[in-house]
Amino acid sequence: NRQGIDEDAIKIEATKGGIDIDANAGKSINISGGQILVSSKTDEENAINLLTNVGTTETIVINNRQGIDEDAIKIEATKGGINIDADAGKDINISGGQILVSSKTNEENAIKFSTNVGTTETIVINNIQGTNESAITIKSSKGGIDIDADAGKDINISGGQVLISSKTNEENAINLTTDVGTSETIVVNNIQGINESAITIKSSKGGINIDADEGKDINISGGQILLSSKTNEIEAIKFSTNVGTTETIVINNIQGTNESAIK
């Protein structure tokens, strides 16, 4: 139809039956026009189906070559979900400028990364070239953050400075605690630092309480042991026992031979 300008200038219609367009293998079926509209008239699975089933090198390509809009290619399910499912061992590759993932539901696991195939599987978040202090940010604007590894498996945090700070005015604002068994320990160890303050425990406004269980020692050793008070008061430094009648306080210089070995 060379001169017809109506939308159905050429119309192929099967009022009761179907329409079959079948080209020879290796020959193209070329459909072009302004808008290409494909719609189904049936309420069924596979109502519209793009399918290949000839050989292992076949592909299906949807390619918008010149469109520059943010939704140049749009996959939308207005009422239902979207399922992207590749074969085991085959990648799903998503790349672009920003990769934005957001949930539309108010529920647990609103966004979930999960693996459940075998014991060697891993989940990796890796910013390879970013140099900013917040190159990777994990942030919960209103709620908490829970990092929970299996018993016997480590949680490894390392970096330049490792900074832990609390945002709440409360008891146990920062709490390092163990409560599993009798052989557990908490260790703060500066392995190579040689400064006098290689490990510093400081309370800028309040006090410091070191309290061991009865029958357990508090062991302090080093080069010089310096105790000094910052207050002008009675009992500025005090050694006291008040448990039972056999208790003693001992100051013993075992090897010193100076006249003022104890002063």
Side-chain angles (χ1 to χ4, degrees):
N1 185 337
R2 295 187 177 184
Q3 297 189 31
I5 60 172
D6 198 83
E7 288 291 340
D8 58 352
I10 294 178
K11 185 175 183 180
I12 300 173
E13 181 178 1
T15 306
K16 299 295 184 181
I19 296 174
D20 185 6
I21 300 175
D22 187 1
N24 193 14
K27 300 298 182 180
S28 303
I29 295 173
N30 191 322
I31 301 172
S32 64
Q35 274 186 306
I36 309 298
L37 304 175
V38 179
S39 62
S40 170
K41 291 181 175 180
T42 60
D43 180 10
E44 61 178 322
E45 289 188 3
N46 299 320
I48 295 177
N49 186 358
L50 302 180
L51 175 69
T52 63
N53 189 19
V54 178
T56 58
T57 60
E58 63 194 12
T59 62
I60 295 175
V61 177
I62 299 173
N63 186 2
N64 184 336
R65 293 188 178 182
Q66 296 193 39
I68 59 172
D69 198 86
E70 288 292 337
D71 57 353
I73 293 176
K74 185 175 183 180
I75 300 173
E76 180 178 2
T78 304
K79 299 294 184 181
I82 295 174
N83 184 3
I84 300 174
D85 186 1
D87 191 26
K90 300 299 181 180
D91 297 339
I92 295 174
N93 189 323
I94 300 173
S95 64
Q98 273 186 307
I99 309 297
L100 306 176
V101 179
S102 62
S103 171
K104 291 182 175 180
T105 60
N106 180 11
E107 61 178 323
E108 289 188 4
N109 299 321
I111 295 177
K112 181 180 180 182
F113 295 91
S114 176
T115 61
N116 189 19
V117 178
T119 58
T120 60
E121 63 195 12
T122 62
I123 295 176
V124 177
I125 299 173
N126 186 4
N127 184 334
I128 295 177
Q129 296 193 39
T131 60
N132 196 284
E133 289 292 337
S134 57
I136 293 176
T137 299
I138 300 173
K139 183 176 181 181
S140 178
S141 297
K142 299 295 185 181
I145 295 174
D146 184 6
I147 300 174
D148 187 1
D150 192 24
K153 300 299 181 181
D154 297 338
I155 295 174
N156 189 322
I157 301 173
S158 64
Q161 274 186 308
V162 179
L163 306 175
I164 299 174
S165 62
S166 171
K167 291 182 175 179
T168 60
N169 180 11
E170 61 178 324
E171 290 188 3
N172 297 320
I174 295 177
N175 185 356
L176 303 180
T177 181
T178 61
D179 189 18
V180 179
T182 58
S183 61
E184 63 195 11
T185 62
I186 296 176
V187 177
V188 179
N189 187 5
N190 184 334
I191 295 177
Q192 295 194 40
I194 59 173
N195 196 285
E196 290 292 338
S197 58
I199 293 177
T200 299
I201 300 173
K202 182 176 181 181
S203 178
S204 297
K205 299 294 185 182
I208 296 174
N209 184 5
I210 300 174
D211 185 2
D213 191 24
E214 58 182 79
K216 299 299 180 182
D217 297 338
I218 295 174
N219 190 324
I220 301 173
S221 63
Q224 274 186 309
I225 308 298
L226 306 175
L227 298 178
S228 63
S229 171
K230 292 182 175 179
T231 61
N232 180 11
E233 61 179 321
I234 296 176
E235 300 184 338
I237 295 177
K238 179 181 179 182
F239 296 91
S240 174
T241 62
N242 188 18
V243 179
T245 58
T246 60
E247 63 195 12
T248 61
I249 294 176
V250 178
I251 299 174
N252 185 6
N253 184 334
I254 295 177
Q255 296 194 40
T257 61
N258 196 283
E259 290 292 337
S260 58
I262 294 178
K263 185 176 179 179

